[in-house]
């Protein structure tokens, strides 16, 4: 006789209290939220009302994800992006935090809430920023390098660990020439630093960011204008660091003063091409 085929685990459970509006929010249009959980966790999900049946090797973690999302329907709309984040938080997914690691191992507290690392790489990035004076964050676009650096800077500023945040980056266009920009120094460099401003506005609000800029607590400094400065009690964010020349990088590293933190956010595989 042949060996019987292994039977996939099956989880059957009910979500309580049964609420049609919350169930519709959980499942999404045409059950697209459930389909995403199926695809990402390689399980089969069947639902009748508030009763669910999940089959597959990851049936138990999939049940945990569904229960967490149902709990979240009390306060928020469940979109595909929200499901994606819930899947990233699942300890059964590749790159997620281990069972013995607390969920807030890589959390950052800012005025408008808590920002939490999504997986080991982001957690390690945050922990290195806190422990080291100089941190390079290398990764493709959209992996949170600049956003987490800004969050760490805001947290340090609120805790009075630093006196100011300095934002800088090389003024390199993305494949097109913008020509001469009008305005003063800050207005000329603003378009290049828009991603950092967006993160600051989200974490501190428009009014506080404007006040901090007016008082030079948050300072915009083009990389070319950093020569000759010594930066003490500062949190310096160098964005798009892959576009710096060796001379610019050497000049910038020699600006280090006392109580100085610098996370750089270069993207891999990108180099500035000289004419």
């Amino acid at each position: 006789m042949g060996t019987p085929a292994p039977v996939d685990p099956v989880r059957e459970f009910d979500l309580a209290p049964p609420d049609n509006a919350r169930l519709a929010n959980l499942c999404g249009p045409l059950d697209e939220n459930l389909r995403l959980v199926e695809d990402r966790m390689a399980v089969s999900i069947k639902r009748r009302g508030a009763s669910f049946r999940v089959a597959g090797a990851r049936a138990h973690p999939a049940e945990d994800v569904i229960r967490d999302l149902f709990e979240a329907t009390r306060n928020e709309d469940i979109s595909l992006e929200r499901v994606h984040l819930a899947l990233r938080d699942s300890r059964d997914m590749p790159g997620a935090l281990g069972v013995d690691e607390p969920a807030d191992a890589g959390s950052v507290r800012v005025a408008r809430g808590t920002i939490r690392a999504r997986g080991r790489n982001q957690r390690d990035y945050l922990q290195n920023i806190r422990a080291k004076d100089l941190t390079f964050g290398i990764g493709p676009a959209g992996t949170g390098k600049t956003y987490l650096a800004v969050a760490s800077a805001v947290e340090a500023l609120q805790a009075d660990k630093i006196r100011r945040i300095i934002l800088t980056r090389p003024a390199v266009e993305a494949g097109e020439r913008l020509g001469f920009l009008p305005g003063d120094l800050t207005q000329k460099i603003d378009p290049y630093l828009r991603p950092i401003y967006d993160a600051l506005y989200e974490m501190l609000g428009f009014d506080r960011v404007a006040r901090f800029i007016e008082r030079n607590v948050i300072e915009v400094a083009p990389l070319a204008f950093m020569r000759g400065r010594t930066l003490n009690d500062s949190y310096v964010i160098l964005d798009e660091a892959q576009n710096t020349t060796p001379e610019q990088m050497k000049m910038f590293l020699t600006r280090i003063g006392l109580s100085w933190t610098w996370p750089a956010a270069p993207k891999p595989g990108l180099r500035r091409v000289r004419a």
Side-chain angles (χ1 to χ4, degrees):
M1 294 180 62
T3 304
V7 179
D8 286 336
V10 176
R11 302 287 299 181
E12 296 182 351
F13 57 94
D14 296 328
L15 296 179
D19 184 319
N20 289 334
R22 290 179 60 189
L23 287 169
N25 185 10
L26 167 67
C27 299
L30 301 177
D31 289 345
E32 65 178 7
N33 294 343
L34 297 183
R35 301 289 83 80
L36 179 58
V37 176
E38 283 183 326
D39 292 342
R40 291 285 302 278
M41 305 199 77
V43 297
S44 171
I45 301 175
K46 299 186 181 300
R47 178 181 76 91
R48 185 169 185 176
S51 299
F52 287 76
R53 184 179 188 274
V54 182
R58 294 178 174 174
H60 196 286
E63 176 188 353
D64 292 340
V65 169
I66 293 172
R67 289 186 180 277
D68 290 343
L69 289 172
F70 183 71
E71 186 65 26
T73 59
R74 295 179 183 272
N75 306 310
E76 59 183 303
D77 294 330
I78 306 301
S79 62
L80 289 175
E81 291 77 10
R82 180 64 178 84
V83 177
H84 171 75
L85 293 178
L87 290 167
R88 286 287 300 168
D89 283 344
S90 174
R91 298 187 186 277
D92 189 65
M93 297 298 289
L97 299 179
V99 176
D100 58 338
E101 299 171 292
D104 60 349
S107 63
V108 178
R109 295 186 181 276
V110 296
R112 295 194 167 187
T114 300
I115 297 169
R116 195 147 50 88
R118 304 290 180 182
R120 289 192 182 93
N121 289 337
Q122 289 192 357
R123 178 210 58 192
D124 293 343
Y125 181 47
L126 287 174
Q127 290 181 345
N128 273 284
I129 289 176
R130 288 169 174 163
K132 310 292 184 181
D133 290 334
L134 178 62
T135 302
F136 286 87
I138 301 175
T143 51
K145 303 182 298 297
T146 301
Y147 188 84
L148 292 176
V150 173
S152 298
V154 170
E155 181 185 53
L157 183 64
Q158 292 175 337
D160 292 327
K161 296 179 181 178
I162 57 172
R163 291 189 299 174
R164 58 182 172 171
I165 300 173
I166 297 176
L167 314 175
T168 185
R169 62 165 285 175
V172 177
E173 295 94 345
E176 57 181 328
R177 294 293 180 182
L178 301 180
F180 293 102
L181 296 174
D184 58 19
L185 180 63
T186 300
Q187 292 170 329
K188 289 179 185 294
I189 198 67
D190 271 358
Y192 299 102
L193 295 170
R194 186 52 51 189
I196 299 179
Y197 279 126
D198 291 341
L200 286 171
Y201 291 146
E202 181 180 339
M203 297 171 198
L204 292 172
F206 290 92
D207 293 338
R208 293 187 68 187
V209 172
R211 288 199 303 270
F212 284 154
I213 292 176
E214 183 179 355
R215 292 159 46 196
N216 281 332
V217 175
I218 296 177
E219 180 182 348
V220 178
L223 184 58
F225 285 53
M226 298 292 288
R227 190 179 303 276
R229 303 186 63 181
T230 299
L231 305 173
N232 296 320
D233 298 319
S234 301
Y235 198 110
V236 186
I237 298 175
L238 174 59
D239 196 23
E240 300 291 339
Q242 80 277 359
N243 288 324
T244 59
T245 65
E247 293 79 11
Q248 286 176 323
M249 183 62 70
K250 181 178 179 180
M251 176 271 293
F252 192 74
L253 290 174
T254 56
R255 303 304 97 206
I256 296 178
L258 300 175
S259 301
W260 193 87
T261 300
W262 176 45
K267 296 181 179 65
L270 298 179
R271 296 291 184 271
R272 185 176 183 181
V273 179
R274 296 186 183 181

